[in-house]
Amino acid sequence: MEENRASSIMGWFRQRFGKQRNDSDQVKPCPCSQTCSSGHSNTSSSVCSSSSSSSSPKSSISAKPSASDQPLPSVLSSPFRSSLRYDVFVCHNDADSDLAQSLASFLEAPSNGLRCYLQERDCPAGGAVSTELLQAVQDSHCWLLLFTPNFVKDDWCSYQMHQVLSEGPMSQRILPAVVNMPRSQLPLELRFLYTVDLNTNKEFGYTLVYKAVLQYLKDMSEKQKSSSASQTDG
């Protein structure tokens, strides 16, 4: 009889606590996406999370270096180039200001790195125009004369041209460029110089101007180095 009672008590315990254990072992449905089944274990949420993150697109495309990331020519760091404030003095008629600014913007772009002088931009307020002009001519390595029909009719432009010629006649420093006119209409004083033609392809002409300035800076920088070396040896 005692055995029956003990057996009855043990049966009651198994029935009572066995049911609670079975209830706690049931897993609630996964609240993530429909691809997750209700039979996931307790690690199902972390699995779903890692799965969703791995499905996102990867942004591992490396950016291509821009033109401004390319190193500038070494001559632009030379002592000779630093000896003057400007690389190019842009002489032009007032009616051609947009064209002059377009050319200066090309030469001064980060990928090119030149320094230009434009009278309307760089002449200080209150300064005497003729004095400031002469100072800018003397403080520039090269002089670009932007010849247009407006230029050849302008006495002020003619004055600037002769200031340039007096500073560096027969030199690489003078760069005539023609726009909207043939080369044959250049002033007689400049017809012996190589002329950049901007009539057909302005960007190509801008590139020629840039290369001409770099070549001048390179030639003069090397000449200065040779002169310094000769003096040292002597």
Side-chain angles (χ1 to χ4, degrees):
M1 186 173 181
E2 290 295 332
E3 293 178 358
N4 292 338
R5 181 178 299 177
S7 177
S8 176
I9 292 174
M10 292 299 295
W12 182 84
F13 272 102
R14 284 195 298 267
Q15 181 179 5
R16 175 66 176 170
F17 293 102
K19 182 178 180 181
Q20 290 181 355
R21 185 174 64 250
N22 293 336
D23 291 343
S24 64
D25 288 343
Q26 292 180 357
V27 180
K28 295 181 180 180
C30 179
C32 57
S33 64
Q34 295 179 355
T35 57
C36 301
S37 63
S38 60
H40 284 177
S41 65
N42 292 335
T43 59
S44 61
S45 60
S46 61
V47 172
C48 293
S49 175
S50 62
S51 174
S52 61
S53 63
S54 63
S55 62
S56 61
K58 297 181 179 180
S59 57
S60 59
I61 302 176
S62 58
K64 295 181 179 179
S66 62
S68 59
D69 295 331
Q70 301 298 321
L72 293 174
S74 58
V75 69
L76 297 185
S77 302
S78 65
F80 174 78
R81 190 252 185 160
S82 302
S83 63
L84 296 181
R85 184 176 181 182
Y86 302 105
D87 299 310
V88 185
F89 175 95
V90 183
C91 177
H92 64 94
N93 180 266
D94 291 343
D96 304 314
S97 292
D98 290 344
L99 179 60
Q101 291 175 8
S102 172
L103 173 58
S105 296
F106 176 87
L107 299 176
E108 293 177 333
S111 57
N112 293 330
L114 294 186
R115 307 161 303 173
C116 296
Y117 176 87
L118 290 173
Q119 180 180 320
E120 65 272 21
R121 182 189 69 183
D122 300 311
C123 185
V129 176
S130 57
T131 303
E132 296 295 338
L133 170 69
L134 180 59
Q135 180 61 44
V137 169
Q138 295 175 343
D139 211 10
S140 299
H141 286 293
C142 296
W143 310 297
L144 176 72
L145 304 176
L146 195 56
F147 283 99
T148 66
N150 299 314
F151 188 105
V152 296
K153 298 175 183 178
D154 190 344
D155 292 338
W156 174 242
C157 289
S158 179
Y159 172 77
Q160 294 182 66
M161 180 189 72
H162 285 95
Q163 287 294 330
V164 164
L165 286 169
S166 66
E167 288 293 325
M170 300 292 291
S171 70
Q172 292 176 274
R173 303 175 69 181
I174 303 175
L175 305 173
V178 294
V179 187
N180 301 326
M181 58 176 281
R183 184 180 179 279
S184 59
Q185 293 183 7
L186 279 175
L188 293 175
E189 299 93 324
L190 296 175
R191 291 186 187 178
F192 61 90
L193 294 177
Y194 176 77
T195 304
V196 178
D197 190 347
L198 300 179
N199 287 306
T200 55
N201 189 332
K202 287 186 175 63
E203 187 170 351
F204 178 72
Y206 293 175
T207 302
L208 290 180
V209 171
Y210 177 70
K211 290 181 177 179
V213 175
L214 286 185
Q215 189 61 50
Y216 169 76
L217 294 176
K218 181 180 178 180
D219 292 345
M220 296 305 297
S221 181
E222 291 177 352
K223 184 180 295 186
Q224 186 182 62
K225 288 180 182 179
S226 298
S227 177
S228 299
S230 298
Q231 293 177 0
T232 303
D233 294 339

